[in-house]
Amino acid sequence: MKTLHVITTMDTGGAEMMLNKLVRAAENDKSQQMAILSLGRFGTLGAKLREDGFEIHALELRKSFHFLKLLFLRKRISFKPDVIQGWMYHGNVFATLIKYLAFPSAETGWSIRQSLSYYKEDKPMTRFIIRLSAWLSFLPKAIIYNSYIAKEQHEDFGYSSKSSVVIPNGFNIEIFKPDNEMRSHIRQELGLEPNHFVVGNISRNHPVKNFKLLVDAVLRVSDEIPEIRCLCIGRDTDRLMKFIPNKKSHLFRLIGECKKFGNT
């Protein structure tokens, strides 16, 4: 099967990481051929995929005249896709558009990877795309959600339910497993004592992630549990410091976006 994945960008993020894992996992599967089309820039993950020899294209559509690139996708993609798989709202809409502009015989699939709990917090253009997607949702062959609450909320919002499926996020438990040696090394690197009780979140700082609730909760319980420490890793998490009183700043480790810990 030949699949073209369409996504907003390949910067570091949850959906981007899952697509990165999917493409790499299929590298040695001769029955699968995949390419990625980033509507924006290559991003951190995309640049590494390109360096490693995977087929990935960046359209940089924020520059309006670059929309003309959509008309020449047949020449850019090395194969004629059987499936055009969208990722997230913008990617879903463009996957459908690309089908009709360049590959009319391909089937389309959508991937929706968030709930609508914080719909009003999204940018106006994103809210428009979400509503537009509801109107267009009868077009894809399948709509994939990564949680049941997302499926329920979107269908209540008006999304078609005729071909929806839930596929939860997957993680390699051979890689993500307890490692006492690495635990000690990273705690030392972060200035965490063995008795510190660590809570945290690994994601970009966005209202839908509700970092503010996490910060408030840690501040509220810190008098009763002085050993508590909060670790936040992800893009713009360092900006959370504005919510933290100076006298409580020692409770938090706001790392921002990072590639690795402990030389791993």
Side-chain angles (χ1 to χ4, degrees):
M1 179 179 289
K2 299 176 181 179
T3 306
L4 174 62
H5 297 279
V6 182
I7 193 166
T8 310
T9 180
M10 281 301 287
D11 279 316
T12 305
E16 295 87 346
M17 286 294 293
M18 288 299 162
L19 176 53
N20 176 70
K21 292 177 183 179
L22 177 64
V23 170
R24 290 185 181 277
E27 180 180 11
N28 298 319
D29 185 348
K30 297 190 181 301
S31 68
Q32 301 289 333
Q33 187 174 357
M34 296 187 182
I36 298 174
L37 184 67
S38 172
L39 300 177
R41 58 182 189 171
F42 285 108
T44 50
L45 294 173
K48 188 64 170 66
L49 283 166
R50 189 184 189 195
E51 179 184 324
D52 292 342
F54 291 87
E55 182 174 354
I56 179 169
H57 306 272
L59 295 185
E60 298 183 0
L61 293 185
R62 291 195 176 191
K63 300 175 181 179
S64 58
F65 64 89
H66 282 185
F67 273 86
L68 294 174
K69 293 179 179 179
L70 293 174
L71 302 176
F72 302 98
L73 284 179
R74 284 177 176 267
K75 296 181 179 180
R76 298 193 65 171
I77 309 301
S78 67
F79 57 83
K80 182 180 178 181
D82 302 306
V83 175
I84 305 174
Q85 177 65 50
W87 289 71
M88 302 182 291
Y89 301 117
H90 296 76
N92 293 336
V93 170
F94 273 89
T96 303
L97 179 62
I98 288 167
K99 166 187 167 66
Y100 292 107
L101 285 178
F103 304 107
S105 64
E107 298 285 3
T108 55
W110 288 5
S111 180
I112 295 176
R113 311 188 62 80
Q114 72 175 58
S115 70
L116 291 174
S117 300
Y118 293 88
Y119 167 76
K120 293 182 179 179
E121 301 287 345
D122 281 313
K123 298 176 182 178
M125 179 55 71
T126 301
R127 295 200 300 270
F128 169 75
I129 293 294
I130 291 172
R131 289 196 173 277
L132 175 63
S133 298
W135 300 331
L136 300 176
S137 62
F138 69 95
L139 292 173
K141 188 75 171 180
I143 302 177
I144 301 169
Y145 298 92
N146 66 344
S147 71
Y148 287 97
I149 187 64
K151 178 179 181 296
E152 179 182 334
Q153 289 181 349
H154 281 81
E155 290 176 0
D156 287 345
F157 195 79
Y159 281 65
S160 173
S161 61
K162 65 181 178 66
S163 56
S164 59
V165 62
V166 176
I167 303 178
N169 290 333
F171 298 90
N172 187 340
I173 60 174
E174 292 301 314
I175 297 174
F176 296 98
K177 61 183 179 180
D179 185 327
N180 289 332
E181 182 179 350
M182 185 57 64
R183 178 179 184 271
S184 298
H185 185 81
I186 292 176
R187 277 180 169 255
Q188 183 178 7
E189 187 175 336
L190 294 173
L192 296 169
E193 300 295 335
N195 67 319
H196 284 157
F197 178 74
V198 181
V199 299
N201 193 348
I202 303 177
S203 62
R204 63 193 172 102
N205 181 12
H206 184 276
V208 73
K209 310 298 183 182
N210 210 347
F211 273 100
K212 181 64 166 55
L213 178 62
L214 175 62
V215 170
D216 289 344
V218 171
L219 292 175
R220 288 185 64 178
V221 304
S222 61
D223 290 334
E224 296 182 20
I225 310 175
E227 300 83 11
I228 196 168
R229 296 294 183 272
C230 182
L231 174 62
C232 298
I233 303 174
R235 191 186 321 147
D236 296 331
T237 53
D238 48 317
R239 297 182 181 180
L240 296 169
M241 189 57 71
K242 64 184 179 182
F243 300 120
I244 302 168
N246 288 335
K247 65 179 181 179
K248 296 283 189 177
S249 62
H250 66 284
L251 301 177
F252 294 85
R253 305 293 187 273
L254 308 179
I255 306 301
E257 183 175 350
C258 61
K259 294 183 178 179
K260 62 181 180 179
F261 273 124
N263 299 318
T264 61

